[in-house]
Amino acid sequence: MRALVYHGPGQRSWDTVPNPTIQLPTDAIVKIDTATICGTDLHILKGDVPEVKIGTILGHEAVGTVVETGAAVTNFQIGDHVLISCITSCGSCRFCKEARYGQCTGGGGWIFGHLINGLQAEYARVPFADNSLYKVPSGLTDEQVLFLSDILPTSFEVGVLNGGVRPGDTVAIVGAGPIGLAAVMTAKLFTPARIIAIDLDDGRLGKAKEFGADVTINNSAEDAVKRVLELTGGLGADVAIEAVGVPATFELAAELIRAGGKLANVGVHGKPATLHLEKLWIKDVTITTGLVDTSSIPQLLSLIQGGRLNPTVLSTHRFSMDQAMEAYDVFADAAKTHALKVVLAGTAVPVETKPKVAARSSA
Ligand SMILES: NC(=O)c1ccc[n+]([C@@H]2O[C@H](COP(=O)([O-])OP(=O)(O)OC[C@H]3O[C@@H](n4cnc5c(N)ncnc54)[C@H](O)[C@@H]3O)[C@@H](O)[C@H]2O)c1
Ligand SMILES: [Zn+2]
Ligand SMILES: [Zn+2]
């Protein structure tokens, strides 16, 4: 089959590789129908995620069709149309029992395109298929559900739910990339009084307005703290969501919250940030961090089915999977191309489906 393969920092190619096979009875093989690229894939290509081995197929967000199931897979059958979560769940470790799938210690967690081959390919092996796949409700398109693999649950769980957004709140979201924009969309579910989006890029702030932000602040042109204080009668935001991942934006988010406020950090940080305890100790604040669990996928699917959430607005470019190299170029040059999410349509020619197979004893 063909797949997008990581060959070390700065190097990727669209290669011919062996088709995945069932290795454990809990595995399924899924034909990838639709996939997308994540900012995290770009981090990997920059060499920021050294545990990704050369030769790994990238990608952790996709929708597909089950073409083969291991002997222990009972919830899914050949032909099922499925959303593949970016987080795999073993279903039996302490954290999976608490629905903290991101922290799985039984072989799951974030493994696709990281510790095992990923989903920007014609086919993929999905470990712990019973716990890690979600049936796509009939009537919904791939593109309607695709961003539930990762970014919608990330913004919702790690941003909006950890931040405890409540009706009437002022929510400040620092960063208006796909994650910040998905935070705007999912914060709205709780009817905050005001959503303030902060970014350096006017194009992205325009999108934030389109997706439901009430106020936008370009913090390269104006003092975001001053403006938020003005808007909140000098108190500060009830909730600040950090959706960038650099020290300056974490420190900004900490300055934006009122006494008793909450800072939900979503950004992936590569450098230490300063926690100004000399200012914060007295303010009763709560700071949360986290990796997405994707435990909210069923809830988000219901919201899409009910017409309350429309993630397709995040798609800006469409390619076929065999144009993945070009799609990466467009996605990586977002300042110029204005890309948010690029959608890759699968190119696998449907194969004859195979019956359930038992695990290989040597696996
Ligand atoms: N915690 C998790 O589970 C999880 C999951 C997925 C992604 N993430 C992280 O979320 C973060 C956001 O992801 P994304 O895909 O939206 O990234 P992105 O790079 O597309 O967007 C970041 C945005 O931040 C803006 N920005 C940069 N510096 C800024 C500054 N100083 N002040 C204001 N805005 C600034 C940029 O203009 C851009 O619009 C990343 O760090 C990503 O790795 C976390
Ligand atoms: Zn991702
Ligand atoms: Zn587990």
Side-chain angles (χ1 to χ4, degrees), residues 40 78 102 123 162 177 183 187 193 222 241 257 293 330 342:
T40 305
I78 289 167
Y123 295 90
N162 278 357
E222 66 179 311
I241 296 175
I257 49 174
D293 293 309
V330 167
V342 302

Side-chain angles (χ1 to χ4, degrees), residues 181 184 188 203-213 216 313 340:
L181 293 170
V184 171
K188 275 185 83 71
R204 289 201 155 173
L205 290 171
K207 285 284 178 189
K209 262 261 160 82
E210 217 179 281
F211 297 171
T216 57
V313 292
L340 290 175

Side-chain angles (χ1 to χ4, degrees), residues 28-31 33 63-69 73 75-83 123 133-136 138 142 350-356:
I29 305 296
V30 175
K31 174 173 79 68
D33 297 325
V63 177
T65 306
V66 176
V67 293
E68 197 177 343
T69 54
V73 175
N75 296 343
F76 295 92
Q77 291 177 350
I78 289 167
D80 281 347
H81 193 208
V82 290
L83 171 72
Y123 295 90
L133 295 174
Y134 295 81
K135 280 187 189 138
V136 177
S138 63
D142 285 13
V351 288
E352 212 181 296
T353 51
K354 294 182 196 166
K356 268 185 188 243

Side-chain angles (χ1 to χ4, degrees), residues 38 40 60-61 150:
C38 180
T40 305
H60 52 262
E61 304 176 55
D150 178 354

Side-chain angles (χ1 to χ4, degrees), residues 3-29:
L4 196 288
V5 179
Y6 173 69
H7 289 287
Q11 294 179 61
R12 54 176 154 86
S13 55
W14 178 245
D15 292 350
T16 300
V17 296
N19 277 50
T21 54
I22 299 277
Q23 291 178 17
L24 289 168
T26 43
D27 289 351
I29 305 296

Side-chain angles (χ1 to χ4, degrees), residues 156-191:
F156 185 54
E157 295 168 17
V158 189
V160 175
L161 295 180
N162 278 357
V165 174
R166 293 179 309 175
D169 276 354
T170 291
V171 181
I173 299 173
V174 185
I179 293 283
L181 293 170
V184 171
M185 290 163 64
T186 52
K188 275 185 83 71
L189 296 166
F190 291 93
T191 333

